[in-house]
Amino acid sequence: MTEPRHEAHERASWAELFFDLVLVFAVTQAAHVPVAEQSWAAVGQTVLLLAIMWWSWVGTTLTVHGVEDSNSQRIFLFACGLCVFVIAITAPHAFTGYGQPMLLAVAHLVLRLLLWDAVRRKGAFAQAGTLGNWINPYTVTLISALLLVGAAAAPAGGIRNGLWIIAVLLAFGGPALLARRLGAVQFGATHLPERFGTFVIIALGEMVASVGSAAAESQLGVVSWGSVVLTFVLGCGLWWLYFAYGFSAVEHSLRTNQVRGGVVRDVLSYGHLLLVVGLVLVAVGARTMVGAPTAIPHGVTGYLLPMGAALYVSAFCFTRWRMFGAPTVGRTSTALVLAALAAAAPLLPEIVMLSLVTAILLALNGYEHWTVATGRPLVLLRRPAI
């Protein structure tokens, strides 16, 4: 008997969803770093870890995009998932010691080798010229992975942190530097929006899991229960901003844009990273508000909830500008208000900050719903050129 023929899938396969489960654990591991250390350095390390995890997920997702759902593809996804699993386990110790940082760097390097070889054999960049199958964004990320191996061998501290920053910047600069080759790749308009929307759900789930676990470990009073409810409502508001209007906008942009590679690079790869980082910062900030909601924050985590919300809303401004030429006034002004609110974090009790951020996002959702329901056009920051 022979294996039945599979066609390239338009929806996420079960193997891809299993791979996503590994990312759930990875995001949780990265989010716990600032909770444990309570410093801006830890927040920066979390962003670097999320960047590596994110780019690993993006690389894997784009590699299997348009490939038939076969046993070979499933085994490839399982191998990539094992690499990410090792990265996730070692992530909290990536910047201390030598053993676990080296395990993380080697797992990341193996993942990058798998992705680079798969793309080369697939011939995805063949239309980009004779060197397209050898020098492309995957080649740049492979060089970035070698830098992380060097970072793991370097002494903990400034040198290691510096190499991490260079490696992350190099990985994210690859698609921008080689934009013409990325533009030659054919991308579908159904599978990719669903996949990137799934990662947003993973980041939203981290907020629910983080706050829920903190609440389960505490003796909650009335005010603490109020903060739990507010956090859930806040999560609903964050979900609404993306899935009520943002998701369909991405699908529309991919279907109508003649050069889909630019949308994949700027809106999905870069823009969605901002969304994910913003959500993880919100999750870390919200977790600290359960235990002592009436206290005035003294550590860095007190800033993270409004900062993360501001970054999340700002990401929509960036993506809408890249898709349609102009952001909306509503989301732009909301991002500015949230950023200003973050500066007042040391002056307000945490329950007050949580209430204000939740109210602002609900007001934005209500305004946008009223605008769409009444048939009014969205007010743009500036008119796009016609």
Side-chain angles (χ1 to χ4, degrees), residues 211-268:
V211 173
S213 62
E217 296 168 359
S218 306
Q219 295 292 332
L220 300 183
V222 174
V223 180
S224 293
W225 273 113
S227 66
V228 170
V229 173
L230 278 173
T231 301
F232 188 83
V233 174
L234 172 62
C236 295
L238 294 169
W239 178 95
W240 203 278
L241 283 176
Y242 182 87
F243 289 99
Y245 303 115
F247 179 80
S248 58
V250 173
E251 278 194 321
H252 175 76
S253 180
L254 273 176
R255 291 185 185 280
T256 58
N257 200 305
Q258 293 182 350
V259 184
R260 292 179 176 178
V263 178
V264 171
R265 181 194 65 222
D266 296 339
V267 177
L268 296 181

Side-chain angles (χ1 to χ4, degrees), residues 26-372:
V27 170
T28 298
Q29 288 286 88
H32 283 178
V33 174
V35 173
E37 298 189 23
Q38 296 280 324
S39 66
W40 285 114
V43 174
Q45 291 170 358
T46 293
V47 173
L48 292 174
L49 287 169
L50 284 173
I52 289 299
M53 294 170 180
W54 168 258
W55 214 235
S56 298
W57 181 88
V58 169
T60 306
T61 298
L62 295 183
T63 300
V64 301
H65 173 67
V67 179
E68 65 177 14
D69 184 20
S70 61
N71 283 340
S72 59
Q73 186 218 38
R74 293 162 190 154
I75 293 172
F76 172 77
L77 280 169
F78 294 157
C80 293
L82 177 59
C83 293
V84 175
F85 192 43
V86 175
I87 292 172
I89 292 172
T90 55
H93 308 285
F95 298 92
T96 58
Y98 291 95
Q100 297 209 46
M102 186 58 70
L103 281 173
L104 184 151
V106 171
H108 181 250
L109 178 60
V110 172
L111 173 64
R112 283 296 159 191
L113 284 169
L114 287 171
L115 296 178
W116 180 81
D117 182 63
V119 168
R120 182 184 60 82
R121 288 187 288 104
K122 182 181 177 182
F125 292 90
Q127 298 181 11
T130 56
L131 294 179
N133 267 0
W134 295 93
I135 302 176
N136 53 61
Y138 285 80
T139 309
V140 176
T141 52
L142 183 57
I143 298 172
S144 171
L146 290 171
L147 279 176
L148 284 188
V149 175
I159 296 178
R160 180 177 295 180
N161 294 340
L163 287 173
W164 262 85
I165 293 172
I166 294 172
V168 169
L169 291 177
L170 179 62
F172 280 85
L177 294 172
L178 301 172
R180 184 172 299 177
R181 293 178 183 178
L182 185 65
V185 181
Q186 299 298 318
F187 295 103
T190 302
H191 181 241
L192 288 182
E194 179 191 69
R195 299 296 295 127
F196 282 82
T198 299
F199 207 109
V200 173
I201 285 290
I202 290 174
L204 281 168
E206 171 56 28
M207 183 177 69
V208 175
S210 181
V211 173
S213 62
E217 296 168 359
S218 306
Q219 295 292 332
L220 300 183
V222 174
V223 180
S224 293
W225 273 113
S227 66
V228 170
V229 173
L230 278 173
T231 301
F232 188 83
V233 174
L234 172 62
C236 295
L238 294 169
W239 178 95
W240 203 278
L241 283 176
Y242 182 87
F243 289 99
Y245 303 115
F247 179 80
S248 58
V250 173
E251 278 194 321
H252 175 76
S253 180
L254 273 176
R255 291 185 185 280
T256 58
N257 200 305
Q258 293 182 350
V259 184
R260 292 179 176 178
V263 178
V264 171
R265 181 194 65 222
D266 296 339
V267 177
L268 296 181
S269 299
Y270 292 152
H272 277 61
L273 172 65
L274 299 179
L275 292 172
V276 169
V277 172
L279 288 173
V280 171
L281 293 181
V282 170
V284 175
R287 178 187 175 91
T288 63
M289 296 184 174
V290 175
T294 58
I296 295 178
H298 298 289
V300 299
T301 53
Y303 293 90
L304 297 186
L305 189 142
M307 281 179 55
L311 179 60
Y312 183 75
V313 178
S314 298
F316 289 108
C317 300
F318 169 74
T319 55
R320 186 174 179 86
W321 167 62
R322 294 304 297 144
M323 290 187 293
F324 307 120
T328 63
V329 171
R331 298 204 177 192
T332 303
S333 58
T334 299
L336 293 174
V337 170
L338 289 170
L341 191 60
L347 306 176
L348 299 173
E350 294 190 336
I351 187 69
V352 174
M353 178 61 70
L354 176 59
S355 301
L356 289 173
V357 172
T358 303
I360 290 169
L361 291 178
L362 290 180
L364 174 61
N365 280 316
Y367 165 73
E368 291 185 341
H369 173 75
W370 172 79
T371 301
V372 173

